[in-house]
Amino acid sequence: MEPPTFNRRLGQFRTVIDIEKGYSEPDQQYSPSARTTVGAPLGGLKKLFDHTTDPIVSGRYTINLRRLFVLLLILIGMITLWFVAILPEHSAEGTDSLIQNADGITNQDRLNNNEDHVSPHTGAQDSATYRYERVRGKGARTSLKKIQFKFPPESDQDRLQRESRLQAVRDGFEHAWTGYKDHAWGHDEVSPVSGGYKDNFNGWGATMIDSLDTLVIMGFNKEFDEALEWVKTKFTMTNNPTIQLPFFETIIRYMGGFLGAYDLTGEKVLLDKAEELGKYTLNAFQGSDFPNSHFTIDPSFSGRDESFVLAEIGTLQLEFSRLSKLTGNPIYDQKARKIFDILGTAMPEIPGFLPPNVQDGEGLKYSNFQASVGGMVDSYYEYLLKEWILLDGKATKYKEMFEEAVSSIKKYMVMTPEDGSKDYVILGQVNSTSKTVEPDMGHLACFMSGSLAMGSKYFGRSEDLLLARQVAQGCYLGYHHSASGLAPEAARFTESSQPGKFVTDPQHFFSQYRSRMEYILRPETLESLWILYRLTGEKKYQDQAWEIFQSLERSCRTSIAYTGLTNVNNVHSKDNKMESFFLAETLKYLYLIFSTPDVISLDDFVLNTEAHPLLRT
């Protein structure tokens, strides 16, 4: 027999068929153990179809036409067996199987409100593959146009730099996760300086749930499985059914955490927990279309608020709409839309701007309030756009509300530096009656750059992309000019004698006497840098993000995890606190800006305000 050869580049064996054995014999030099190759008999049978009437020689046998006929019958039988017995297992579900893998239930299941979900995987390898593909958008569907930049192939030098930064961020997350696991497992937060833990958010394990999808995205499958086992065996919401629970934080951290991790893994227990929590959060709606700021597991202990914080009632729409989509229960989506519908009838003095505190009722007038896009209102404006995206552009009223707010931002809120620079701006706080604007911008408001950028791409508003760049640059400079390399909670500047302008501090950029100087590991600037990078492909946003990460390593890393600072100009002012959003958002955005662009693509996912990725289906 002619000795077979192996092409290492192509990974193919070249053999002469041995029909008696029914498989090829690869060269032992390249394959120490015998290997069976399915295609080998078919490759040898090619010789049976040579144009000759003579007997055919193959291996050590001589085959005449009668034997040829028998072989053809065997071949036909094998093909028939393949189609009858094997293919139906893979093709019977057809398109519905993709939908089932995407959401955990088929479209018919949604219509029937069937809560029985089929596991998309069976073993550890299947789970890892499923998660890998989901992180890269498998199962996503949308009719909206794609907005991500079409990245060209990167050079070897750029790839090596990007991957080294990516690994550094991943190592940072692993350090923080290990500290949480060793010192605060099952609790809300780890104390990163002293060790120990704090339970500030229900005592349900906020860091655990907030970090689930980050673990998946970064490829920590073993660590995710350990956390999942804790959720299955230890997580409970009913130990203290009469305690007052914060509605807003529970929605964005816990419900968002469960839904985001479910969308990436298909683990049924995560959707079950989200649905259980959803039923409890309905207790917050006590005789009002707006939810109370707090609720209890036992509905008999829930009260009723008379005034509602705008961000708290305007930051449940993504989570509630996704929960309805996955469970087939419309109640959550109905309540979410009702809130936006009511707010859409409001009549404020400045179109599109609403005050920090609102009342339940249609057509209400609001006057003489400080309008901003910072604390107490921020994620309401964020969710107007993102809910429109999640609902596949069908809720046109939310698009109109977002665009109206953006128009007022540009008209009343944008402030430029007195020195004439056009590189950066801030978004100040404007009085709705006098229209005077103060040069104060909270860190939370830095999210707006990313929303402006996405809106500009979807709605064809090119001028909004320029504004997004300028806002992001202003936020970045707050980091760049502090002693720690980290930005204050609220940057305040000196007022200029010229309307709509502000004066920077020549040494510190922002006023160190008027600003709120603490840094609590916030993510909003990094969020906008990531979005701008994904939409423009400009590497400078990666470089700015890397500068911020290096500042975190120098100023905030402890032997246990990472800590915030009470003063960004004093690197020794550690506050001994690591919010769960540091793992859910800050490090996630850093990781995503250095990952390949197919990882959590903006064309496949909508991220809630806690950076939990919800699949667009």
Side-chain angles (χ1 to χ4, degrees):
M1 178 185 295
E2 176 188 355
T5 60
F6 180 68
N7 185 323
R8 288 185 178 274
R9 175 170 295 187
L10 299 178
Q12 297 173 335
F13 285 97
R14 182 170 64 85
T15 70
V16 174
I17 283 295
D18 188 331
I19 295 177
E20 181 183 65
K21 294 183 178 179
Y23 58 84
S24 62
E25 293 184 324
D27 187 4
Q28 298 304 313
Q29 176 183 357
Y30 300 110
S31 178
S33 60
R35 303 184 186 182
T36 301
T37 58
V38 175
L42 299 181
L45 284 174
K46 178 181 181 297
K47 296 184 177 182
L48 299 178
F49 293 92
D50 290 340
H51 296 289
T52 177
T53 58
D54 296 328
I56 302 169
V57 177
S58 177
R60 69 174 71 101
Y61 290 97
T62 299
I63 303 176
N64 59 26
L65 294 177
R66 180 176 299 176
R67 289 175 180 168
L68 172 60
F69 179 72
V70 172
L71 286 171
L72 289 175
L73 289 178
I74 293 173
L75 179 59
I76 292 171
M78 292 172 62
I79 293 173
T80 302
L81 178 63
W82 171 267
F83 279 99
V84 172
I86 298 176
L87 281 185
E89 296 179 9
H90 301 281
S91 61
E93 295 173 333
T95 304
D96 276 347
S97 68
L98 295 178
I99 299 172
Q100 184 168 359
N101 282 342
D103 295 339
I105 51 177
T106 65
N107 286 334
Q108 188 60 46
D109 287 333
R110 290 196 190 95
L111 294 174
N112 296 335
N113 196 21
N114 187 345
E115 296 183 1
D116 294 328
H117 301 272
V118 179
S119 176
H121 40 69
T122 56
Q125 185 60 43
D126 288 340
S127 296
T129 300
Y130 183 85
R131 296 167 190 173
Y132 178 90
E133 293 175 342
R134 295 287 280 187
V135 165
R136 287 153 182 81
K138 183 175 182 179
R141 298 183 303 279
T142 178
S143 65
L144 298 179
K145 67 179 181 180
K146 296 184 181 300
I147 61 172
Q148 273 210 169
F149 181 75
K150 294 182 179 179
F151 289 83
E154 59 186 343
S155 68
D156 289 343
Q157 180 179 355
D158 287 345
R159 177 181 58 79
L160 289 173
Q161 182 187 69
R162 178 183 59 77
E163 289 179 348
S164 68
R165 293 175 173 182
L166 183 74
Q167 185 61 50
V169 173
R170 191 177 189 273
D171 291 344
F173 177 91
E174 186 174 23
H175 172 69
W177 178 257
T178 300
Y180 170 75
K181 182 179 179 181
D182 291 345
H183 295 270
W185 187 252
H187 293 279
D188 287 346
E189 297 174 356
V190 65
S191 299
V193 177
S194 63
Y197 59 84
K198 302 182 181 73
D199 284 323
N200 297 330
F201 297 102
N202 307 357
W204 295 350
T207 294
M208 180 95 68
I209 309 306
D210 233 359
S211 302
L212 289 174
D213 52 53
T214 310
L215 288 167
V216 177
I217 292 168
M218 293 188 182
F220 288 108
N221 286 300
K222 176 178 175 291
E223 290 78 2
F224 172 82
D225 290 336
E226 291 173 347
L228 182 67
E229 184 62 25
W230 183 87
V231 171
K232 291 178 179 178
T233 59
K234 302 293 185 182
F235 181 84
T236 180
M237 294 175 266
T238 57
N239 281 341
N240 194 341
T242 61
I243 191 173
Q244 293 288 318
L245 305 171
F247 181 84
F248 171 79
E249 301 292 354
T250 301
I251 291 293
I252 65 172
R253 300 189 195 219
Y254 288 102
M255 184 178 289
F258 284 131
L259 292 173
Y262 174 75
D263 268 341
L264 297 184
T265 67
E267 295 290 349
K268 181 178 181 295
V269 65
L270 301 174
L271 181 58
D272 291 342
K273 295 298 184 182
E275 186 171 19
E276 179 187 358
L277 177 57
K279 293 175 181 177
Y280 296 142
T281 59
L282 294 179
N283 295 337
F285 295 83
Q286 296 290 326
S288 172
D289 290 315
F290 292 174
N292 293 330
S293 63
H294 289 74
F295 71 102
T296 57
I297 300 300
D298 184 340
S300 62
F301 286 85
S302 294
R304 179 178 177 180
D305 295 343
E306 298 300 325
S307 180
F308 304 87
V309 174
L310 180 62
E312 292 182 351
I313 66 171
T315 313
L316 60 93
Q317 284 67 25
L318 292 180
E319 295 84 355
F320 269 31
S321 291
R322 187 63 181 151
L323 185 59
S324 281
K325 185 73 176 288
L326 292 173
T327 63
N329 186 346
I331 184 65
Y332 307 105
D333 185 61
Q334 290 170 355
K335 287 191 173 295
R337 297 199 196 201
K338 182 65 173 178
I339 294 170
F340 272 2
D341 291 345
I342 291 174
L343 294 175
T345 68
M347 294 183 289
E349 288 180 301
I350 300 180
F353 285 169
L354 290 175
N357 294 96
V358 295
Q359 286 74 47
D360 184 7
E362 295 186 0
L364 298 181
K365 296 181 179 180
Y366 296 102
S367 61
N368 198 25
F369 61 87
Q370 288 296 107
S372 78
V373 290
M376 299 180 70
V377 301
D378 52 337
S379 44
Y380 160 70
Y381 298 106
E382 175 188 1
Y383 272 37
L384 285 176
L385 173 63
K386 289 185 174 180
E387 179 76 343
W388 175 84
I389 298 172
L390 188 67
L391 298 178
D392 205 34
K394 296 179 174 61
T396 56
K397 176 64 175 176
Y398 308 156
K399 169 183 177 291
E400 294 168 1
M401 293 165 68
F402 175 79
E403 289 187 297
E404 187 175 51
V406 170
S407 295
S408 290
I409 287 173
K410 293 193 292 186
K411 184 175 181 179
Y412 297 103
M413 194 173 285
V414 174
M415 301 190 72
T416 58
E418 190 180 67
D419 62 12
S421 173
K422 297 185 183 302
D423 292 337
Y424 66 95
V425 301
I426 64 169
L427 301 179
Q429 298 186 22
V430 58
N431 182 273
S432 65
T433 301
S434 67
K435 309 301 187 291
T436 56
V437 58
E438 298 178 4
D440 299 345
M441 183 173 179
H443 194 290
L444 286 167
C446 289
F447 88 92
M448 196 67 208
S449 169
S451 293
L452 287 166
M454 287 194 294
S456 75
K457 291 293 185 180
Y458 278 119
F459 309 141
R461 298 166 60 112
S462 59
E463 69 279 7
D464 291 355
L465 182 58
L466 173 60
L467 178 59
R469 294 174 187 272
Q470 293 172 316
V471 172
Q473 185 67 12
C475 292
Y476 159 73
L477 290 174
Y479 284 79
H480 185 70
H481 288 287
S482 77
S484 64
L486 301 165
E489 178 70 4
R492 292 172 178 150
F493 301 86
T494 302
E495 294 185 20
S496 169
S497 58
Q498 303 177 47
K501 296 188 180 295
F502 64 96
V503 180
T504 61
D505 185 289
Q507 183 177 358
H508 301 286
F509 184 63
F510 51 85
S511 170
Q512 60 178 333
Y513 303 108
R514 299 181 63 243
S515 299
R516 287 182 56 185
M517 297 296 287
E518 70 270 21
Y519 173 70
I520 62 172
L521 305 173
R522 284 210 183 274
E524 289 77 21
T525 296
L526 289 165
E527 173 187 3
S528 288
L529 294 179
W530 169 63
I531 292 173
L532 281 168
Y533 173 68
R534 287 290 184 90
L535 296 183
T536 68
E538 293 182 19
K539 193 174 180 296
K540 79 169 187 177
Y541 298 115
Q542 287 183 312
D543 294 337
Q544 291 177 350
W546 179 244
E547 180 185 323
I548 293 172
F549 176 72
Q550 290 179 303
S551 298
L552 284 167
E553 290 291 292
R554 287 193 304 268
S555 303
C556 298
R557 184 168 176 140
T558 72
S559 61
I560 296 173
Y562 292 80
T563 179
L565 302 174
T566 59
N567 187 331
V568 295
N569 283 334
N570 180 0
V571 296
H572 302 294
S573 63
K574 297 177 173 25
D575 67 4
N576 194 29
K577 185 176 177 62
M578 186 179 79
E579 291 256 14
S580 68
F581 59 64
F582 180 67
L583 299 184
E585 299 186 72
T586 308
L587 288 179
K588 182 185 292 167
Y589 287 128
L590 278 164
Y591 184 85
L592 291 176
I593 202 169
F594 298 120
S595 67
T596 54
D598 60 330
V599 175
I600 310 297
S601 168
L602 290 171
D603 294 324
D604 297 326
F605 293 90
V606 178
L607 276 65
N608 86 331
T609 198
E610 196 81 359
H612 295 304
L614 306 178
L615 195 68
R616 295 164 64 176
T617 60

